[in-house]
């Protein structure tokens, strides 16, 4: 959408540019937001800045139908990743997928099980609902379908485009 492209990406580029201008002060830059990390890496590679090391978390690249925009996005990611030292992902399958799609001989894809509990899944204690929030790369329609028919109450904080076409059950 226009809002996403103009306002969000404008802020991503601004943050990455500010980080780039201070990059020489640091040994490692950890980018929690993938887009900011990739823009930062792009700037470092384009300007041949060898320092700092770059770690990007949460790289999410939805597979979409082949189009000019998708090919440009993939080219940007490939170019930027050649300057990224490590990408942290949160599932083993992503390691395999990203190695297959973006392996470049430099970037390591590392699985870290962040936020995964080792106990049996159960309803959260001390809460009467499950919360889901955020706007980037969310698939609320699948989440809503999965929670439909369960006894759990769910609250979702999202932008309208994130839930477009969703049919809300009573518990959501």
């Amino acid at each position: 959408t226009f809002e996403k492209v103009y306002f969000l990406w404008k802020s991503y580029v601004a943050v990455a540019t500010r980080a780039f201008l201070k990059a020489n002060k640091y040994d490692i830059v950890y980018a929690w937001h993938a887009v900011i990390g990739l823009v930062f890496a792009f700037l470092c590679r384009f300007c041949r800045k060898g320092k700092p090391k770059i770690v990007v978390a949460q790289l999410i690249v939805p597979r979409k139908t082949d189009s000019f925009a998708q090919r440009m996005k993939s080219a940007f990611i490939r170019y930027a990743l050649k300057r990224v030292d490590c990408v942290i992902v949160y599932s083993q399958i992503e390691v395999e997928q990203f190695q297959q799609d973006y392996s470049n001989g430099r970037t390591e894809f590392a699985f870290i099980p962040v936020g995964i509990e080792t106990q049996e899944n159960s309803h959260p204690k001390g809460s009467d609902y499950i919360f889901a929030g955020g706007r980037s790369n969310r698939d609320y329609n699948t989440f809503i379908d999965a929670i439909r028919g369960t006894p759990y109450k769910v609250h979702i904080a999202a932008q309208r485009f994130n839930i477009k076409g969703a049919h809300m059950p009573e518990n959501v």
Side-chain angles (χ1 to χ4, degrees):
T1 65
F2 176 77
E3 172 200 8
K4 190 172 186 177
V5 170
Y6 182 74
F7 293 108
L8 280 178
W9 281 78
K10 182 177 154 184
S11 69
Y12 297 158
V13 170
V15 170
T17 301
R18 286 194 308 270
F20 173 77
L21 295 173
K22 297 177 182 183
N24 287 334
K25 296 179 182 181
Y26 302 98
D27 296 321
I28 299 173
V29 168
Y30 179 85
W32 182 260
H33 195 286
V35 175
I36 294 170
L38 290 174
V39 172
F40 177 76
F42 177 92
L43 293 171
C44 288
R45 181 165 185 224
F46 186 78
C47 296
R48 300 179 187 260
K49 188 179 289 270
K51 182 183 175 187
K53 289 188 178 215
I54 303 171
V55 177
V56 174
Q58 303 184 84
L59 181 60
I60 300 172
V61 184
R63 292 180 182 229
K64 297 185 179 178
T65 57
D66 188 41
S67 66
F68 177 73
Q70 186 64 30
R71 288 190 299 275
M72 293 300 294
K73 182 178 175 181
S74 292
F76 168 77
I77 292 169
R78 279 190 179 74
Y79 183 88
L81 281 177
K82 287 184 180 179
R83 181 55 185 83
V84 173
D85 296 276
C86 182
V87 174
I88 296 172
V89 296
Y90 303 124
S91 72
Q92 197 63 47
I93 193 78
E94 288 177 309
V95 171
E96 297 166 16
Q97 176 190 338
F98 290 139
Q99 284 174 337
Q100 180 182 343
D101 294 348
Y102 297 107
S103 182
N104 59 32
R106 173 192 169 107
T107 306
E108 176 186 357
F109 298 94
F111 164 61
I112 298 178
V114 175
I116 297 174
E117 294 195 25
T118 57
Q119 298 175 358
E120 186 74 24
N121 289 337
S122 63
H123 192 273
K125 292 177 176 50
S127 176
D128 62 350
Y129 64 89
I130 296 170
F131 174 80
R135 61 186 278 156
S136 297
N137 301 309
R138 302 302 197 273
D139 184 357
Y140 289 116
N141 288 338
T142 298
F143 175 65
I144 292 165
D145 287 344
I147 204 75
R148 185 183 316 280
T150 68
Y152 306 117
K153 294 179 187 174
V154 176
H155 293 200
I156 297 175
Q159 296 292 318
R160 290 178 200 260
F161 69 83
N162 288 118
I163 55 174
K164 185 176 181 180
H167 300 287
M168 299 294 177
E170 286 185 29
N171 61 322
V172 177

